[in-house]
Amino acid sequence: MDIYLVGGAVRDQLLGRPVVDRDWVVVGATPEDMLAQGYRAVGKDFPVFLHGDTKEEYALARTERKTGRGYHGFAFHADPSVTVEQDLERRDLTINAIAQREDGTLVDPFGGVGDIEARVLRHVSDAFAEDPVRLLRVARFAARYAPLGFRVADETMALMRRMVDDGEVDHLVPERVWTETRKALAEPMPSAFLRVLRDSGALRVLFPEVDALYGVPQRPEYHPEVDTGIHEELVLDAAAALAPGDSLVGWCAFTHDLGKALTPADVLPRHIMHEQRGIEPVRAISARLKVPVEYAFMAEMVCKHHLNAHMALELRPTTILRLLDALGALRRPERLETFLLACMADKRGRLGSAQADYPQADFLRACRTAAASITSQPFVAQGLQGPAIGEAMKKAQATAIAGVPKPAP
């Protein structure tokens, strides 16, 4: 029985990055052998075991063959005769198809080490095309490694385009699309995720609402980048810089401007009421991907109210209070923080504005603190009851907000 460290742990070691998860492949063993040595079986579709002490995953070396469409259309074969090279051959990218022996030497049958050095994301074999999730994974890896100079190999991009043309991507289930998207939005450069999907043609299939933003003009005095699709990319990267690893902020950035694709042609390059037009596509994309409730809620709030955030210093106290109430921010201040980070990303996601100040954020935080300081006790003590207490509190909250000093121009 031989045990190899495989996949991301080997890749990240070679890149000098922290190793988060360690996965192992076992060659020359049966499930009975693993159980006899104290491993606990956890795999449903193929033999995977947890180590009794480390709880790390140990999988028996296996091969796979395509049996149908989509992510689930595979049959797996695992027995002691399967070699580590055969196991590596079924993996997606060469940089993920490297194994490390117990003595530290590498098994690299597909040139993964060279591709790490060359900063290339390259598929291992044409079997890549059998699993549409791999296209999303390549886009996600691009979002992670683009800051290190990685690019998708030309032949891999060509294969991904064929996958789209052949309709394989149409069989992706919403849960898998969401899982990969959520992870990509938490990476350092999510704009690369968009670019890879768009270059392959998958963006128009999976996210037509986002694909439609490309080529839509904006007023250059506000958006020097002009193209709304480019603005989308800049906002995603600004969100990743402002809130590293926060996919909720990333999702809000991803969906904040969908209404601009619906602006009537005779109005362009202005986008009057785009925040209202965006609500329907935000709801549609959230429902289609079955995103968590909080993601759907916050995306709609950012879409609907991001211009109010930009104009916060000019808003009336009652309007600010309605915004805080809509967010539920008086009870849940973290919602205001998510909202403000996404709005700040929108402000900074413009050519030449990557470090732009956003005094609106501190002002709205102070408004929320002032409003939250108002309690019901004084009004109860005055003898007010029922709705009268709520009305009195609203007036007092608006007065408190009016007393918040605005930053100097």
Side-chain angles (χ1 to χ4, degrees):
M1 186 168 81
D2 295 314
I3 299 177
Y4 300 83
L5 183 66
V6 294
V10 180
R11 176 197 67 225
D12 288 340
Q13 278 183 187
L14 294 171
L15 283 167
R17 293 168 58 94
V19 173
V20 178
D21 296 311
R22 290 155 59 92
D23 294 317
W24 306 83
V25 160
V26 181
V27 174
T30 65
E32 292 74 21
D33 294 331
M34 301 297 288
L35 294 172
Q37 295 200 27
Y39 291 86
R40 181 166 64 88
V42 293
K44 293 181 179 178
D45 298 323
F46 41 80
V48 179
F49 302 83
L50 292 185
H51 191 282
D53 296 326
T54 67
K55 309 305 179 187
E56 292 175 341
E57 287 192 358
Y58 287 69
L60 297 188
R62 64 187 187 270
T63 59
E64 64 185 33
R65 61 184 176 85
K66 186 74 167 170
T67 59
R69 286 280 199 174
Y71 171 68
H72 293 291
F74 290 91
F76 298 94
H77 170 70
D79 70 35
S81 68
V82 178
T83 66
V84 68
E85 290 82 4
Q86 287 174 311
D87 183 273
L88 294 174
E89 188 175 8
R90 66 177 176 79
R91 297 174 184 267
D92 51 6
L93 297 173
T94 60
I95 65 170
N96 298 328
I98 309 168
Q100 186 180 70
R101 299 183 182 91
E102 291 182 275
D103 65 3
T105 58
L106 299 178
V107 180
D108 180 26
F110 305 105
V113 173
D115 282 342
I116 286 175
E117 293 171 350
R119 300 301 197 246
V120 173
L121 301 174
R122 191 191 317 276
H123 63 286
V124 171
S125 73
D126 285 345
F128 176 99
E130 296 174 351
D131 183 356
V133 173
R134 289 175 170 175
L135 189 151
L136 280 167
R137 279 172 54 83
V138 170
R140 173 164 64 84
F141 280 123
R144 180 183 301 174
Y145 295 123
L148 300 180
F150 274 82
R151 63 175 183 84
V152 178
D154 292 342
E155 61 269 30
T156 300
M157 181 58 71
L159 181 59
M160 290 163 59
R161 289 172 182 151
R162 288 202 299 274
M163 292 169 68
V164 174
D165 293 341
D166 291 344
E168 188 69 30
V169 174
D170 300 340
H171 296 272
L172 280 166
V173 298
E175 292 83 358
R176 290 311 302 260
V177 177
W178 169 245
T179 295
E180 294 298 324
T181 300
R182 179 183 58 77
K183 291 178 180 178
L185 293 173
E187 299 291 1
M189 193 178 287
S191 62
F193 177 76
L194 273 195
R195 286 193 294 272
V196 169
L197 291 183
R198 187 162 182 256
D199 288 349
S200 68
L203 190 66
R204 69 174 181 269
V205 177
L206 300 175
F207 302 107
E209 301 90 345
V210 177
D211 188 63
L213 296 175
Y214 285 89
V216 176
Q218 302 166 109
R219 292 174 65 179
E221 63 267 38
Y222 299 118
H223 289 277
E225 70 282 357
V226 179
D227 190 310
T228 308
I230 302 302
H231 171 60
E232 169 87 352
E233 294 179 8
L234 293 170
V235 173
L236 284 176
D237 288 349
L242 286 164
D246 192 329
S247 60
L248 177 55
V249 174
W251 180 246
C252 293
F254 189 74
T255 55
H256 82 287
D257 258 355
L258 298 185
K260 287 185 176 178
L262 302 176
T263 299
D266 61 344
V267 177
L268 294 174
R270 294 178 301 157
H271 289 279
I272 301 168
M273 298 294 290
H274 76 275
E275 64 276 22
Q276 298 298 324
R277 290 191 181 95
I279 294 173
E280 183 176 342
V282 167
R283 289 175 177 172
I285 196 171
S286 293
R288 187 173 71 247
L289 296 188
K290 304 178 182 179
V291 308
V293 171
E294 189 68 5
Y295 282 72
F297 173 78
M298 287 305 305
E300 185 172 330
M301 287 297 100
V302 172
C303 173
K304 186 176 182 179
H305 295 294
H306 64 276
L307 291 190
N308 278 335
H310 298 339
M311 298 169 57
L313 303 181
E314 289 80 50
L315 296 181
R316 293 178 298 177
T318 52
T319 304
I320 293 174
L321 182 58
R322 285 197 297 271
L323 170 61
L324 296 174
D325 280 339
L327 287 167
L330 297 184
R331 292 177 293 104
R332 298 184 58 179
E334 74 277 6
R335 281 184 167 176
L336 178 62
E337 203 57 34
T338 295
F339 175 77
L340 293 175
L341 287 167
C343 293
M344 193 182 306
D346 179 39
K347 175 69 172 181
R348 292 186 174 183
R350 309 164 194 228
L351 285 181
S353 297
Q355 301 300 323
D357 290 334
Y358 199 69
Q360 296 93 327
D362 281 341
F363 175 67
L364 286 172
R365 291 184 186 107
C367 289
R368 186 243 158 232
T369 299
S373 70
I374 304 300
T375 65
S376 62
Q377 283 89 339
F379 307 107
V380 173
Q382 293 173 22
L384 297 181
Q385 296 180 349
I389 295 175
E391 292 174 9
M393 286 187 65
K394 292 293 183 192
K395 289 180 181 178
Q397 287 168 338
T399 300
I401 290 172
V404 173
K406 295 179 180 179

